[in-house]
Amino acid sequence: MKYQWFERGAYATSKAKEYLSNSFNPNEIKKIAVIRHAALGDQVIVRPFLIEARKFFPNAKITLVAVSNYMYGVPDDLVDHVHVMPGKHKDKKKASVSEKIKNIKELGSQDIIFDLASTNRSHWMMALSKATLKIGFPYKYYLRGILYNVCVPRSDFQPEVECMLDMLKLLGHYPQYPLNFAYPDNRVIKEKDAPYILYFNGASQKSKIVSQDYMKELISRSIAEHPDYIHIFLEGKNNFEKGDFLKKVVEKNDNCLVRPLQPLDDLIELTAKATLLISPDTGVRNVGISTHTPTVGIFYSTVPYRYTPHYEKHFVAMSPDGSIPDVGTVCNLIKEALCK
């Protein structure tokens, strides 16, 4: 079982198994590439993987492979180099096939490539790059043995960061728990003198958010039920993420505020000091998770299990039939979260 800590729950080609048994040594690994193409929420979630990879491969140069249209929140503080693949931009000319291939080739040969994206773009990177081990969690089973010589299962019922860490567990690494995101920690710096609750209602897809009337009712009820807290609505960059609809609520309640779009560092610190964060499935909720701040998530169009750690105070409002959970359900979870 040398560096192959699985029985039937993972996949490795015979050649990969032979390498792991006879040649692999984490201390001798010099170059690692980690592919992660995603928006803010998915970028912050990858941080524990990078931290644990650094522990397991102490002598390796780690390159993060990002994509140009998803650079906000890229964890460049945890890697040695960032390789940027061309992405989709409305105001830029699309890269040609030859330019894309050239970009992939510039990555160079690696000891290990971890694909934490499993997108068409990352599949091309895996196909055209050289590495002794190519590890991933593809949904499509037929990619095992073709693009990847080592694979772990990917489940909609397990937090995605755990699926990523499975790639290191397979090799014999035991990660730290609770996970370390290398962000300000709510358990240490939570605001106690003037405690506040954060609300956010934005996402990359409108199908994930609730209506303004819903959010207005939720915040109004929460203010009435928890008058000792400051209630802060965070605005996003899009027009549908602004807080104008709360004007009358703010005028009526001096403990209700609307905060404009925050720079990332300010957003992280503000979230880390909050008592609670209420949000649909969005990157800001994942920022809450990464700062160990308790959250109440509102889910109806995406699965909650993939982004909800089991070992901390994260509550999920959902209906089994996929309908939007009513405001009362969310308010009850807010009470539960504040009592614990």
Side-chain angles (χ1 to χ4, degrees), residues 85-294:
M85 298 182 72
K88 296 180 180 178
H89 298 272
K90 294 181 180 179
D91 56 344
K92 291 185 179 180
K93 182 181 177 182
K94 185 178 179 180
S96 66
V97 173
S98 61
E99 289 172 331
K100 292 178 181 178
I101 293 175
K102 180 183 177 183
N103 175 273
I104 291 173
K105 295 292 186 181
E106 288 173 352
L107 177 66
S109 179
Q110 303 288 316
D111 293 319
I112 307 175
I113 300 179
F114 293 98
D115 183 3
L116 307 186
S118 199
T119 61
N120 288 336
R121 189 178 281 104
S122 74
H123 292 165
W124 278 109
M125 175 65 80
M126 297 299 283
L128 298 177
S129 298
K130 293 182 179 181
T132 305
L133 290 179
K134 295 183 178 183
I135 306 178
F137 51 11
Y139 281 121
K140 298 174 181 177
Y141 72 92
Y142 55 81
L143 295 177
R144 298 183 302 179
I146 298 177
L147 291 184
Y148 309 90
N149 51 20
V150 179
C151 297
V152 299
R154 188 179 192 182
S155 171
D156 284 335
F157 306 104
Q158 176 173 305
E160 189 177 37
V161 65
E162 295 287 357
C163 295
M164 299 175 195
L165 290 170
D166 286 347
M167 300 179 193
L168 299 177
K169 294 174 186 175
L170 180 150
L171 300 174
H173 179 61
Y174 201 93
Q176 166 190 335
Y177 288 93
L179 298 177
N180 178 14
F181 290 82
Y183 269 166
D185 192 330
N186 174 267
R187 298 167 297 183
V188 178
I189 68 170
K190 180 173 68 174
E191 175 61 53
K192 295 179 180 179
D193 294 332
Y196 56 87
I197 300 172
L198 295 178
Y199 304 82
F200 185 70
N201 190 35
S204 56
Q205 303 172 32
K206 284 188 176 182
S207 60
K208 292 182 179 182
I209 66 175
V210 296
S211 69
Q212 292 183 344
D213 287 340
Y214 184 105
M215 185 57 67
K216 182 178 180 180
E217 180 183 352
L218 172 61
I219 293 175
S220 297
R221 287 184 58 172
S222 186
I223 291 171
E225 294 173 1
H226 309 287
D228 295 333
Y229 290 87
I230 300 170
H231 300 259
I232 302 174
F233 180 81
L234 297 174
E235 291 188 322
K237 65 179 180 179
N238 299 305
N239 289 332
F240 63 85
E241 297 172 324
K242 302 304 180 184
D244 297 344
F245 68 99
L246 290 172
K247 183 178 180 181
K248 291 184 179 179
V249 178
V250 172
E251 291 174 349
K252 184 179 178 181
N253 301 277
D254 57 9
N255 63 337
C256 183
L257 306 171
V258 173
R259 280 281 188 94
L261 178 66
Q262 303 286 295
L264 182 58
D265 288 345
D266 293 345
L267 171 64
I268 292 168
E269 184 174 1
L270 182 69
T271 303
K273 292 181 177 180
T275 301
L276 184 65
L277 169 66
I278 297 101
S279 170
D281 176 24
T282 180
V284 172
R285 178 176 174 271
N286 282 355
V287 170
I289 290 171
S290 68
T291 57
H292 304 281
T293 301

Side-chain angles (χ1 to χ4, degrees), residues 26-34 46-64 75-82 112 114 116 165 168 171 173-176 180 182:
N27 293 321
E28 295 178 358
I29 298 299
K30 301 300 182 185
K31 292 188 292 184
I32 295 172
V34 179
V46 78
R47 295 178 68 86
F49 177 89
L50 297 172
I51 291 169
E52 297 298 331
R54 181 76 71 187
K55 293 178 186 177
F56 195 52
F57 304 106
N59 300 311
K61 175 183 177 182
I62 300 178
T63 296
L64 178 67
D76 52 5
D77 58 313
L78 299 178
V79 299
D80 301 296
H81 177 67
V82 177
I112 307 175
F114 293 98
L116 307 186
L165 290 170
L168 299 177
L171 300 174
H173 179 61
Y174 201 93
Q176 166 190 335
N180 178 14

